[in-house]
Amino acid sequence: ADATIARSTSGAAIDPQIRAREAIAKAMALRDKVTPRERLYIEAQAARRAPGPRDAADAAYIAGLRKLAIVNSLNIGSTRLTRLAGLGPFTFYSGGTLSIDSNMQLTTLADLAIANAPALSSLYITNNATLQDLTGLESVTAADRLTISMNNRLANLRGLSALEQLG
């Protein structure tokens, strides 16, 4: 079966979904050799790419992420979620990154439970076609980089009222 998979000269699958599944399978095989925190992240990624309905995989991914109470980087991207209920609470390390990108059905961040987000390195809110406001980001007080773009229904920036420092 492996002979039918197109591969680069380095041996990696050309198809990004196959490449992701292979990377997750390798990470799962090695998960007993990493820290408990890394293991939780690997298991969350495996849940996200599990076969079956996409909605169930997204829910399993979020359940796995909930086990990671303190994060350096959180990317919520390309899901079919309409809300982020059950995700968090999260505390970000200083210098962390929050990216919410390409969630075409996401309407609100209100359920995003960020307990503490000191001095984020980057905050990206991009390409969320139905996102209406930024409620849920009230604990963000500083960010070195801020990108908010292509959120066609975004009516205001109210959720960033505590943001005191950029750059």
Side-chain angles (χ1 to χ4, degrees):
D2 196 45
T4 62
I5 297 173
R7 297 193 176 275
S8 69
T9 55
S10 67
I14 301 290
D15 182 317
Q17 292 194 5
I18 293 172
R19 194 169 52 247
R21 281 194 302 269
E22 289 176 349
I24 290 297
K26 183 176 181 178
M28 289 292 286
L30 298 171
R31 73 178 184 258
D32 292 333
K33 298 178 182 181
V34 299
T35 68
R37 193 172 161 65
E38 291 168 325
R39 187 176 310 115
L40 290 172
Y41 184 74
I42 290 167
E43 290 168 354
Q45 290 297 327
R48 183 176 191 190
R49 287 164 179 82
R54 177 78 186 267
D55 292 343
D58 285 344
Y61 174 60
I62 285 181
L65 288 178
R66 287 186 72 201
K67 297 174 185 175
L68 298 168
I70 299 176
V71 296
N72 185 50
S73 177
L74 179 61
N75 178 11
I76 303 168
S78 302
T79 71
R80 293 182 184 173
L81 300 170
T82 58
R83 2 176 0 120
L84 301 174
L87 184 60
F90 288 106
T91 296
F92 282 83
Y93 288 111
S94 183
T97 298
L98 174 60
S99 175
I100 301 172
D101 177 57
S102 301
N103 299 285
M104 295 305 160
Q105 297 175 26
L106 186 64
T107 59
T108 182
L109 303 178
D111 298 321
L112 183 60
I114 299 177
N116 190 15
L120 289 175
S121 170
S122 301
L123 174 59
Y124 301 107
I125 312 292
T126 57
N127 199 28
N128 301 288
T130 58
L131 185 63
Q132 298 171 5
D133 63 48
L134 299 177
T135 302
L137 298 177
E138 291 82 4
S139 70
V140 177
T141 59
D144 291 338
R145 286 177 297 283
L146 173 66
T147 302
I148 301 172
S149 66
M150 298 185 303
N151 302 293
N152 298 340
R153 293 202 180 138
L154 187 62
N156 61 62
L157 302 177
R158 198 169 299 130
L160 292 176
S161 58
L163 186 64
E164 297 175 353
Q165 181 180 341
L166 280 176

